[in-house]
Amino acid sequence: MNDTHVPTAAKGGRIQAYLERLRLSSERRERLLRDALAAADPWSQVHTELSGGSMPAGSPPLPAWQSLPERLQQIWPEDSRRLNEQLQRVVQTDNHGNVRLHTMPPLRRAFMRPRPWATNPFSRLWRNNISGRGRMESRLEDDVKPDSPDPIGRWRWAGLVRRLVLLGFVLGQTYIAVYLMTAVLPYHGSHWLEMCILVLYAILFAWVGSGFWTALMGFWVLLWGKDQYSINGSTPPDVTIGDDTKTAILVPIFNEDVARVFAGIRATYDSIARTGKLKHFEFFVLSDTIDSDTRVAELQAWLTMCREVNGFDHIHYRRRLHRIRRKSGNVADWCRRWGSSFNYMVVLDADSVMSGNCLVRLTQLMEANPSAGIIQTAPWAAGRETMYARIQQFATRVYGPLFTAGLHFWQLGESHYWGHNAILRVAPFMRHCALAKLPGTGAMSGEILSHDFVEAALMRRAGWSVWIAYDLPGSWEEMPPTLLDELKRDRRWCQGNLMNFRLFLSQGLHPAHRAVFMTGVMAYLSAPLWFLFLVLSTALLAVNVLSEPVYFTQSYQMFPNWPEWHPEWAARLFGATATLLWLPKLLSAILIIAKPSLWRGFGGPVRLFFSVFFESIFSAALAPIRMLFHAKFVTLGLLGVEISWKSPPRDDAETHWGDALRQHWGGSVLGLIWAAGVYWLQPEFLLWLLPVVGSLILAVPLSVLSSRVRPGRALREARMFLIPEESMPPRELRWMRLALRRGRRLKAGFVEAVVDPVLNALVAADSIPRLRRSADELKWREELVETAVIEGPDQLSERQRNTLLSDPVSLTRVHQRVWASAAAHAGWTLPPA
């Protein structure tokens, strides 16, 4: 050890500080310090005496490597040393005599192979009937043949009839609306601009109408109190869970807020334990994290939680070395290694919290319905404090139940899967839901981004039903804290839905899930269609103002077409459209007020109505801003511009004025020019366009002010936009906040992984020591160690930090040298030498 230049007194101070970081008796600590100062090589003496003087054959020739087993055992408190069985399960010795940390159960490998997409019906027709490859095609069709116990289901015909009724409602009201719109236009649809406007209006009105009828049916179901096909309502409450039934709870994460992730897991774990059904559940934290500080904090948080709840048998942690196919690849990787040991899996997001009763009930529903492949809960939004997030939480909590119940009414067992807070049957998921890459090149090909809709479609194609348990409480998530954060998320979702539409003609998909792909696209395509509708309307105004009227639009026309304008008809049509948009909100409030047990949680009926009113104004003000961004997202997606896929923020981050100006300045300029042009053409028409252009002009202050925490808290104190999770928080959310406060106090990162003796041993034992390396590789790693010691952690790139964290030998060498050398950089925060 190269520390001969360190004075003896400094050595003693460093060694004493090192030993104080270990949970040792005072007698042993004093003996170690005394023996070290008397030895020629103090640090070698410390590590040798900690290890008991033994080193397995083939181990790296490092004194600090000798002490790794003893330092690793420090993760157990003194009063728990008697729990040798638990210690032996987690800390084991591999075939080379090296100590390893076992954070996952034993492997049980299984097969999960993605199949190529058959998206071209003409190509399938050619292979079946023309090219003579029918026998090969028949083998390919075996992959999509239903294999569930009940692939048809008694609900199937009811769902078909309901969807035909919905289609009739939407087409009927759209026909009437287009007829009235034709009467409103000056040339009654004979001008080419008016024809384009009518086509766009028909598409947009049908889209709005489908949402209206969905909410209306949801209102009827919730008012009536039940749907005979509800998977939760039709299943007895006392279904027995088999003794050998196992449900895995998967939490895929990537560079997340570690304290928030494990606080949610802790609350969910404690809630399950409270039900007495913990033996049926195991948690798997599946990390794709690449940030060096975060990955260390994850391992430390996992260890802390397992020690606190004695949960090493029920809580597991794994970090993948290679991040392949993002979240869907992470889940598929778990399925191949451990999935065959479990009947079901529940997928959670990093911000998810679920109650034990909800998870137990989901397992019961799976047990009672053997043909169910996926059961999706309806998560409630809670936990944010910015003004924007609190209004969005209120909206989803008040209006969300109507739309979710309505979706279930139309879809039944061919419903949505939203990728989290849902339970899945593992065996059919592994057989049918492996995702192949989309063929081709560019942004619309490659890995599937929005995997959840696709997995639901593949599950249903194989005959397994997909349900929404709209009436099952105990499922929560968090909203984006600001408008800009929501738009960043929408950029990813837009790209994913555009890619999914390439699968619209895939072989064997059910019409309901083809419709799901269509609605996923329309959720974003409606924005550029609305924008184009407004542009064409402005162009029609310019034509009418700046050009002479055209009275004869056809050859040999006997009578002229007199331009007509009926503002009272336009007002009525506008009122009808507004009714479709706002009546569901009013019905939601009426539904809550009808049940006193509900409206108390929303601040009372008066505040509830005022909150609905102001939320409607707020959402109307943001709608044009979202329209402009979504139109941009669709355009960029179709042009093949790729996006980066990052984790959303998990805290109440506020928007700065500079950030808002950079994002919204283009829309504000467009709004000003548009308003000025319309005012120049016809000042009266500006009143109709003012809600759109005014919103675009005020986008910057709207984005900034709504992101503030202070007005959000002030509105909560005034009991405005209140939700039951704020006024009467359930125990799971209270437990989560308590665990979050405790988790914030834990400090663990790359520097601590190098310096702290116990954490260094923990991180080193989590990786596999590679002792056979080339001479060039060994030389490069030795230079990296020297750079880290001398220049400090701030001079290391993320790649270099992760290299050290993944190489236990190099990490131990850095740990040894920063303590022993006086030349160690001050960034390692050691006592002075």
Side-chain angles (χ1 to χ4, degrees), residues 190-470:
S190 60
H191 193 281
W192 69 271
L193 274 176
E194 293 182 346
M195 295 178 188
C196 296
I197 289 173
L198 287 174
V199 171
L200 293 174
Y201 182 77
I203 297 173
L204 293 171
F205 197 89
W207 175 244
V208 173
S210 64
F212 168 78
W213 289 111
T214 297
L216 194 63
M217 289 301 102
F219 173 77
W220 172 255
V221 168
L222 295 178
L223 184 65
W224 182 253
K226 63 178 180 178
D227 184 337
Q228 62 174 323
Y229 297 108
S230 166
I231 191 169
N232 182 40
S234 61
T235 302
D238 56 349
V239 175
T240 302
I241 300 177
D243 290 337
D244 58 348
T245 298
K246 298 290 290 184
T247 299
I249 301 176
L250 311 185
V251 189
I253 56 177
F254 173 67
N255 289 349
E256 301 284 356
D257 180 350
V258 177
R260 173 60 185 84
V261 170
F262 281 88
I265 296 173
R266 176 64 185 273
T268 304
Y269 179 92
D270 289 343
S271 186
I272 296 176
R274 185 183 178 90
T275 66
K277 303 291 185 181
L278 186 59
K279 67 177 183 179
H280 297 292
F281 296 90
E282 291 186 32
F283 287 76
F284 291 83
V285 183
L286 307 176
S287 174
D288 273 338
T289 294
I290 58 176
D291 179 77
S292 57
D293 290 325
T294 305
R295 62 181 283 191
V296 174
E298 288 173 359
L299 189 60
Q300 177 66 39
W302 166 80
L303 174 67
T304 301
M305 180 177 171
C306 288
R307 286 191 309 190
E308 290 176 351
V309 301
N310 193 19
F312 288 98
D313 287 337
H314 292 279
I315 307 170
H316 312 287
Y317 171 81
R318 177 182 184 241
R319 178 184 170 273
R320 289 200 299 175
L321 295 179
H322 305 288
R323 187 179 180 238
I324 300 173
R325 299 188 182 181
R326 300 181 175 89
K327 177 181 177 180
S328 62
N330 203 351
V331 173
D333 206 22
W334 176 88
C335 288
R336 294 186 182 97
R337 286 169 165 79
W338 296 278
S340 57
S341 299
F342 294 86
N343 304 89
Y344 317 115
M345 63 180 181
V346 175
V347 182
L348 301 183
D349 262 358
D351 58 2
S352 297
V353 176
M354 295 187 73
S355 70
N357 290 331
C358 180
L359 290 166
V360 170
R361 182 58 178 168
L362 286 174
T363 306
Q364 289 177 326
L365 296 180
M366 279 293 191
E367 293 279 273
N369 298 273
S371 62
I374 302 175
I375 302 177
Q376 173 70 61
T377 65
W380 291 334
R384 295 295 195 194
E385 292 193 315
T386 64
M387 176 181 170
Y388 178 85
R390 288 200 67 250
I391 295 177
Q392 299 307 306
Q393 287 173 177
F394 174 82
T396 57
R397 192 65 172 85
V398 175
Y399 318 139
L402 256 71
F403 287 95
T404 307
L407 280 176
H408 174 270
F409 182 85
W410 301 122
Q411 295 175 332
L412 296 182
E414 294 170 333
S415 291
H416 286 73
Y417 165 50
W418 296 317
H420 60 93
N421 292 50
I423 190 169
L424 301 91
R425 197 176 298 271
V426 175
F429 182 86
M430 293 175 62
R431 283 197 301 271
H432 303 291
C433 297
L435 301 181
K437 291 184 178 181
L438 288 175
T441 58
M444 301 299 291
S445 61
E447 298 176 5
I448 292 177
L449 300 182
S450 295
H451 58 90
D452 38 19
F453 284 10
V454 181
E455 289 163 348
L458 295 179
M459 186 72 84
R460 183 62 195 133
R461 182 175 73 172
W464 300 87
S465 55
V466 181
W467 294 89
I468 295 179
Y470 68 93

Side-chain angles (χ1 to χ4, degrees), residues 148-166:
S148 77
D150 183 16
I152 302 301
R154 62 184 178 86
W155 47 266
R156 182 82 184 278
W157 293 110
L160 178 60
V161 171
R162 291 180 179 187
R163 291 169 207 147
L164 290 176
V165 170
L166 171 64

Side-chain angles (χ1 to χ4, degrees), residues 114-173:
R115 299 172 179 88
W117 296 107
T119 59
N120 190 332
F122 301 105
S123 176
R124 294 199 299 270
L125 180 65
W126 170 266
R127 286 197 301 266
N128 276 329
N129 302 306
I130 301 176
S131 69
R133 295 171 59 188
R135 293 183 63 187
M136 174 63 73
E137 184 65 18
S138 66
R139 289 198 296 269
L140 292 175
E141 288 178 352
D142 288 339
D143 295 335
V144 300
K145 289 180 179 178
D147 61 358
S148 77
D150 183 16
I152 302 301
R154 62 184 178 86
W155 47 266
R156 182 82 184 278
W157 293 110
L160 178 60
V161 171
R162 291 180 179 187
R163 291 169 207 147
L164 290 176
V165 170
L166 171 64
L167 183 63
F169 283 157
V170 172
L171 292 179
Q173 71 173 21

Side-chain angles (χ1 to χ4, degrees), residues 76-151:
W76 272 262
E78 289 291 336
D79 58 355
S80 297
R81 293 292 183 87
R82 65 181 183 276
L83 301 178
N84 292 327
E85 181 181 350
Q86 185 186 79
L87 177 63
Q88 292 172 3
R89 283 198 307 269
V90 180
V91 180
Q92 300 180 14
T93 303
D94 62 17
N95 296 333
H96 302 284
N98 297 309
V99 174
R100 294 289 315 285
L101 189 69
H102 286 248
T103 62
M104 295 289 285
L107 290 173
R108 188 178 174 186
R109 293 188 179 274
F111 187 69
M112 186 176 179
R113 178 178 64 87
R115 299 172 179 88
W117 296 107
T119 59
N120 190 332
F122 301 105
S123 176
R124 294 199 299 270
L125 180 65
W126 170 266
R127 286 197 301 266
N128 276 329
N129 302 306
I130 301 176
S131 69
R133 295 171 59 188
R135 293 183 63 187
M136 174 63 73
E137 184 65 18
S138 66
R139 289 198 296 269
L140 292 175
E141 288 178 352
D142 288 339
D143 295 335
V144 300
K145 289 180 179 178
D147 61 358
S148 77
D150 183 16

